[in-house]
Amino acid sequence: AKSIKTKDSDTSKNLTEELDAQVDVLKTLNGAYADLGPLLDCVVFHDGEQWRAAIDVDESGDLSAAAALGAYKHTSDVGELCKRQLFYYTLNFYDEGRTLSIVTCAGSHSTHVAGILAAHHPEEPQNDGVAPGAQLLSLMIGDHRVGSMETGVGLTRAVNAIVEYGADVANMSYGEPSSSPNVGQWVQTVAQEVVRRHGCVFVSSAGNEGPALSSTGSPGGTSDGFIGVGAHVGYDQMLAEYAMYETVGDTVFTWSSRGPTPDGDRGVDVYAPGSAITSFPAYCKERLCLRNGTSMSSPNLCGVAALLVSAWKQEMGGASLSPYRVKNAIVSTAKPIGELHGAGMVQTDSAWQFLKRYAARAAEQVSWRTHVDDSRRARGIYLRNAEESAHARFFNVSVVPVFPTSEKARLEHDSDGESGRLESQTQFDFEQRLLLVATESWVSVPDALYVASQGNKFAARVDATKLQAGRLHTASIDAYDSTDVDRGPVFSIPVTVTKPLHVDASACVDLGTLQFRPTEIVRRFVAVPPGATRAHIVLRASNAAALESSPALFYLHCMQLEPATRFRKFFMRERVSIGHKSYGAGGGSAEQKETKTMDVIGGATLEVCLAQFWNQLGAHDIDVRVEFNGIVPANGGGALAEGGPLRAGITVHGSNAVARLDFIAPVRPEYDVSPSIVLTKARKTLRPHEAVISPLGAERDTHLATGSALYKLELDYRLETTREETQLCLHMPAVDTQIYENWADNFALAIFDANKRYLISQISYTSPLLIKQCGESLVRVQIRHRSAKDLEALKDIPLLVDVVLKSSIRLTT
């Protein structure tokens, strides 16, 4: 039989091929599609008095019914961006109407914080905030492109607005770990300009990274000028918010960060209630909500500061009130709660009585700056590692009063500077005859110190040689006004010693049986052997009465500090449940064992902190053992690096046909080792093909100290990817992964494809990202700083690109 080809079959085949081709095109388009959000038509115009905008929130193209909103700061206009979701927006206008800013929530956090501080419910006063009469200035520092994380741009614009509007108090429930405390251009701007010169009381959260020591975040828990606030929970909170059938004693929340800072400062100045049921954004479909954290304790304390400032203005008339006086009153009258270096629970009434009692005392207007000269000008004495407490130490301590100043005095000419004259006279008249007291016998100080406006120095001796190893030891050097000792310490210099346990040749140390009751925290300190790279913390619970005790959640928090490094590098915080399983039935006491492992660095003290979570009941005994091991590259024939750990770097030169890599196990013998080398990333370095420095707009982007516009350096790099779905990470070590400690105002980058289409952006912190298409992309980096000269030095700065290999390369032996 012979087949006959018809016209209909040709048509059907062509149609099928066409449909298949269309499906392929649609698949390609779908793979490349990215939803960049709504596309809204916006019309901006000036109505003769102010700028207004009409926005097509329905995306219908019809603006005839759209409301013409003005700037919120002038009109309080609020619009609905999404009616169904109860999502609202406000507007701002900049650059003579050329820039329209549509402002929305980036999360629920800010509404809850504002509710704690100043919510006002006339019909439901039980839902009021701490200071319901306060007027709020809402300043967004978080960016939705980076998960509402704060950015340098947002921080700079916020402090400029604080000064512009003359805010009396400021709350900041934000923060991050920083590599160095009390440094960075923004931190110093707040301390010197916002607080000292413009008189704003600045309150900030200390962080939620506890309970281990030195876990406070920046800026609140590490920086001068701020009042750093920890989170406390009391009896009334337990009943009203946590529905506990049996309460525990008032305590600090387990997760609240603790001091001291790496340079020895207190870290946490005061504690305030760290939870609340209060306002929530409408789009969350909840009117009130329970949240906890130091983000909640900070606005609680800020509300107290607002009450104190308000009361002072009403009762003291025009008498000057510096932020330092407010902080002195709050810290000096806080109720002792047994926390590190005496940080107590805020007492509003006592703070107000303190302000009134010492209203005429001029010295209350100042703050105190202390430097321990023998410790890289630290603010306190912190002996953490074994060699630091092996013998008596001597320190020269300098103490300098910090006086408030004013913008008026700064702008005056010397010939008619009345404000400047008054400030100079205040400094001339200042003197303090102080009595110095060390709170522990192992700290020695002179009996007295005279301090005038330029400060003074004294010597201190700390002898920790006889202190018990493995434990935390604290003291303070307190200075009292010799004419009024009852006032309490004028300033205190913290002294912290964590004398570690020695680890013998077994590479193990038993911490013994640790006994716990509700809210209990036990800390032990261990000197990590040189060459160790891993620590294994072994917990064993075998209470004979375990079945009669409530199961309990514990925090195991272990941490080491490395200079100029964030505490999260050698950090482990794990939740461990004790008594929930593994105990024998019928009254038996079978052992429960948990092992947790973390990276460590040899030569540095490891804190092992175990805490029964604050609301967990019952008594528990836990045996703790720490084991170390390490396999590291040999260093000079296997010798230890002088004065500390081994060097971990390996260099292989490409000109050698064969490279020999030697490793040693310096801590203890290692058996059944199966070495392998796997290459997972390739690093390449890009140089900018274009670099341009230009001034930013003077309306928002100015430096407070100079009043001049900031500068931006824009760097363009060509990034070539040879395959689709390329994973990579971009680095610029001089400026990235820094916020508060950064010398620059801001670091950000954005990536665009060959058609200049925006793909992704990263701000401050760089992280792994995915480039879907292959070919050339543009990476644009922006660095902001007040000095064009300093930016000039960065015009050829390299961009490091770590590309994840499509397939790992395994080098077998």
Side-chain angles (χ1 to χ4, degrees):
K2 184 184 291 186
S3 62
I4 301 175
K5 188 175 183 180
T6 65
K7 184 177 180 180
D8 289 343
S9 64
D10 288 341
T11 301
S12 177
K13 179 181 178 181
N14 291 339
L15 180 61
T16 300
E17 292 176 349
E18 173 64 21
L19 292 174
D20 288 341
Q22 290 181 16
V23 169
D24 291 339
V25 170
L26 290 173
K27 286 181 178 179
T28 301
L29 292 174
N30 183 63
Y33 174 75
D35 184 2
L36 301 179
L39 184 63
L40 307 178
D41 291 328
C42 306
V43 175
V44 178
F45 62 95
H46 198 280
D47 66 0
E49 295 183 358
Q50 61 182 311
W51 290 101
R52 293 187 175 273
I55 301 176
D56 178 22
V57 295
D58 298 325
E59 298 184 77
S60 64
D62 182 4
L63 286 165
S64 60
L69 305 185
Y72 179 80
K73 61 184 178 182
H74 299 312
T75 65
S76 300
D77 289 343
V78 178
E80 290 183 318
L81 193 61
C82 181
K83 294 181 180 180
R84 178 181 178 183
Q85 299 298 332
L86 304 179
F87 196 61
Y88 302 96
Y89 72 95
T90 61
L91 301 179
N92 283 317
F93 303 87
Y94 304 103
D95 307 322
E96 295 296 323
R98 290 187 293 273
T99 300
L100 170 65
S101 175
I102 302 175
V103 184
T104 65
C105 283
S108 59
H109 183 264
S110 58
T111 302
H112 196 268
V113 167
I116 294 172
L117 202 164
H120 183 41
H121 300 270
E123 305 302 322
E124 301 172 292
Q126 70 273 16
N127 291 330
D128 280 353
V130 178
Q135 294 185 357
L136 291 178
L137 176 64
S138 177
L139 303 172
M140 181 175 287
I141 61 174
D143 194 308
H144 69 90
R145 293 172 295 179
V146 287
S148 79
M149 188 177 188
E150 69 270 47
T151 68
V153 173
L155 292 167
T156 293
R157 290 174 176 175
V159 295
N160 286 346
I162 288 172
V163 171
E164 177 186 353
Y165 291 98
D168 293 305
V169 297
N171 176 75
M172 184 174 172
S173 291
Y174 262 89
E176 306 293 335
S178 62
S179 56
S180 299
N182 205 36
V183 298
Q185 68 84 27
W186 187 83
V187 165
Q188 293 304 312
T189 295
V190 171
Q192 297 302 320
E193 298 297 323
V194 179
V195 177
R196 185 183 181 196
R197 188 179 304 280
H198 293 279
C200 178
V201 181
F202 213 115
V203 182
S204 184
S205 51
N208 305 323
E209 303 273 7
L213 301 184
S214 303
S215 54
T216 51
S218 291
T222 64
S223 311
D224 289 341
F226 297 81
I227 302 178
V229 191
H232 186 269
V233 57
Y235 176 76
D236 291 335
Q237 290 167 267
M238 297 177 200
L239 292 181
E241 299 169 356
Y242 292 98
M244 296 176 65
Y245 70 85
E246 181 180 343
T247 60
V248 298
D250 293 3
T251 185
V252 172
F253 277 107
T254 311
W255 36 255
S256 187
S257 292
R258 267 71 168 189
T261 62
D263 68 340
D265 194 37
R266 184 193 306 221
V268 179
D269 293 306
V270 67
Y271 287 89
S275 61
I277 299 174
T278 190
S279 308
F280 232 47
Y283 72 86
C284 293
K285 315 298 191 298
E286 288 184 276
R287 181 167 168 263
L288 304 173
C289 187
L290 170 63
R291 287 289 184 268
N292 58 29
T294 55
S295 283
M296 284 67 243
S297 60
S298 185
N300 256 299
L301 195 283
C302 192
V304 170
L307 295 175
L308 297 176
V309 172
S310 177
W312 180 277
K313 287 183 176 182
Q314 292 182 50
E315 295 202 15
M316 301 298 176
S320 177
L321 177 66
S322 77
Y324 307 139
R325 185 184 288 271
V326 176
K327 182 176 180 178
N328 290 340
I330 290 173
V331 172
S332 298
T333 59
K335 177 183 177 181
I337 54 175
E339 275 300 304
L340 192 68
H341 294 304
M345 175 66 179
V346 63
Q347 304 294 304
T348 308
D349 291 341
S350 298
W352 172 237
Q353 295 304 321
F354 184 97
L355 283 176
K356 291 195 296 182
R357 184 181 308 118
Y358 296 106
R361 187 174 185 272
E364 296 298 337
Q365 285 287 95
V366 307
S367 179
W368 294 87
R369 183 172 64 245
T370 59
H371 282 145
V372 181
D373 295 338
D374 292 353
S375 301
R376 297 185 299 275
R377 296 184 68 79
R379 293 172 293 167
I381 298 174
Y382 192 3
L383 308 182
R384 185 175 174 96
N385 294 329
E387 67 276 8
E388 295 173 330
S389 56
H391 56 84
R393 299 286 302 276
F394 297 86
F395 301 93
N396 290 319
V397 181
S398 59
V399 180
V400 180
V402 178
F403 295 86
T405 183
S406 69
E407 182 71 0
K408 187 175 181 181
R410 185 175 74 91
L411 297 175
E412 284 177 342
H413 191 273
D414 288 347
S415 63
D416 59 356
E418 182 61 24
S419 295
R421 187 190 69 80
L422 291 175
E423 290 185 5
S424 296
Q425 187 66 47
T426 298
Q427 294 179 34
F428 177 80
D429 294 338
F430 181 87
E431 67 173 4
Q432 286 280 275
R433 301 176 187 272
L434 301 174
L435 303 177
L436 299 182
V437 177
T439 60
E440 296 291 342
S441 60
W442 43 272
V443 180
S444 302
V445 294
D447 292 333
L449 181 71
Y450 176 82
V451 182
S453 64
Q454 301 306 303
N456 205 346
K457 292 185 177 182
F458 67 91
R461 180 179 185 268
V462 177
D463 186 357
T465 55
K466 296 181 180 179
L467 298 181
Q468 184 178 0
R471 304 300 177 93
L472 169 65
H473 305 276
T474 63
S476 64
I477 301 170
D478 295 337
Y480 294 85
D481 184 344
S482 61
T483 65
D484 189 359
V485 174
D486 291 338
R487 179 223 176 265
V490 174
F491 63 81
S492 294
I493 300 173
V495 182
T496 309
V497 178
T498 58
K499 188 175 181 179
L501 291 164
H502 173 70
V503 179
D504 60 22
S506 68
C508 303
V509 59
D510 285 310
L511 302 183
T513 300
L514 307 182
Q515 298 180 331
F516 292 89
R517 299 294 183 269
T519 76
E520 185 122 18
I521 298 175
V522 177
R523 310 175 191 277
R524 295 292 183 265
F525 300 90
V526 181
V528 177
T533 57
R534 302 282 278 178
H536 312 275
I537 293 87
V538 183
L539 309 180
R540 288 185 172 89
S542 55
N543 294 15
L547 293 178
E548 300 176 8
S549 183
S550 301
L553 173 68
F554 282 75
Y555 266 20
L556 174 62
H557 192 183
C558 303
M559 196 168 78
Q560 286 181 290
L561 296 183
E562 189 178 21
T565 304
R566 286 181 180 81
F567 61 71
R568 283 181 182 164
K569 183 173 182 180
F570 298 103
F571 177 98
M572 176 182 70
R573 189 170 68 167
E574 297 278 351
R575 296 186 175 204
V576 180
S577 296
I578 297 296
H580 290 262
K581 59 182 180 179
S582 300
Y583 286 111
S589 58
E591 179 182 81
Q592 178 182 348
K593 179 180 177 181
E594 302 279 350
T595 301
K596 304 295 180 181
T597 300
M598 66 176 290
D599 293 335
V600 294
I601 182 172
T605 295
L606 171 68
E607 178 183 356
V608 179
C609 177
L610 193 59
Q612 185 162 328
F613 199 70
W614 73 269
N615 63 356
Q616 302 293 286
L617 305 175
H620 298 271
D621 297 343
I622 302 176
D623 295 325
V624 183
R625 178 181 174 89
V626 185
E627 303 172 356
F628 297 99
N629 72 300
I631 299 177
V632 295
N635 178 28
L640 294 179
E642 187 174 341
L646 297 175
R647 292 201 301 264
I650 300 174
T651 302
V652 179
H653 200 286
S655 63
N656 296 331
V658 176
R660 177 185 175 92
L661 305 179
D662 293 319
F663 293 83
I664 60 173
V667 179
R668 67 183 184 189
E670 300 287 348
Y671 304 99
D672 300 322
V673 177
S674 300
S676 65
I677 300 176
V678 181
L679 308 181
T680 59
K681 296 178 183 178
R683 169 167 289 185
K684 55 185 177 181
T685 303
L686 305 179
R687 293 286 181 179
H689 68 268
E690 187 173 359
V692 178
I693 297 174
S694 58
L696 291 159
E699 186 173 0
R700 290 189 292 172
D701 298 310
T702 58
H703 192 270
L704 270 180
T706 63
S708 59
L710 296 168
Y711 290 87
K712 65 176 179 180
L713 167 62
E714 287 193 346
L715 302 157
D716 287 351
Y717 301 83
R718 294 189 180 94
L719 175 64
E720 188 76 27
T721 52
T722 58
R723 69 175 192 273
E724 296 180 345
E725 305 289 325
T726 299
Q727 297 182 50
L728 51 84
C729 191
L730 307 175
H731 301 281
M732 191 171 284
V735 287
D736 72 1
T737 320
Q738 301 177 57
I739 296 182
Y740 298 104
E741 71 270 46
N742 205 336
W743 60 271
D745 176 75
N746 191 62
F747 163 81
L749 64 83
I751 302 178
F752 305 85
D753 66 13
N755 297 318
K756 298 183 179 181
R757 184 171 69 99
Y758 166 80
L759 299 178
I760 195 171
S761 61
Q762 295 187 336
I763 304 174
S764 300
Y765 290 88
T766 56
S767 57
L769 50 86
L770 181 67
I771 305 296
K772 292 186 177 181
Q773 75 283 352
C774 62
E776 185 176 290
S777 300
L778 169 68
V779 180
R780 175 162 291 170
V781 172
Q782 185 188 91
I783 304 171
R784 295 165 36 122
H785 190 54
R786 62 181 176 180
S787 169
K789 181 180 179 181
D790 289 348
L791 291 176
E792 190 72 31
L794 300 179
K795 292 182 75 171
D796 196 40
I797 188 171
L799 180 68
L800 305 182
V801 183
D802 290 343
V803 181
V804 177
L805 302 178
K806 185 176 182 180
S807 299
S808 300
I809 300 174
R810 182 175 295 274
L811 307 180
T812 57
T813 57

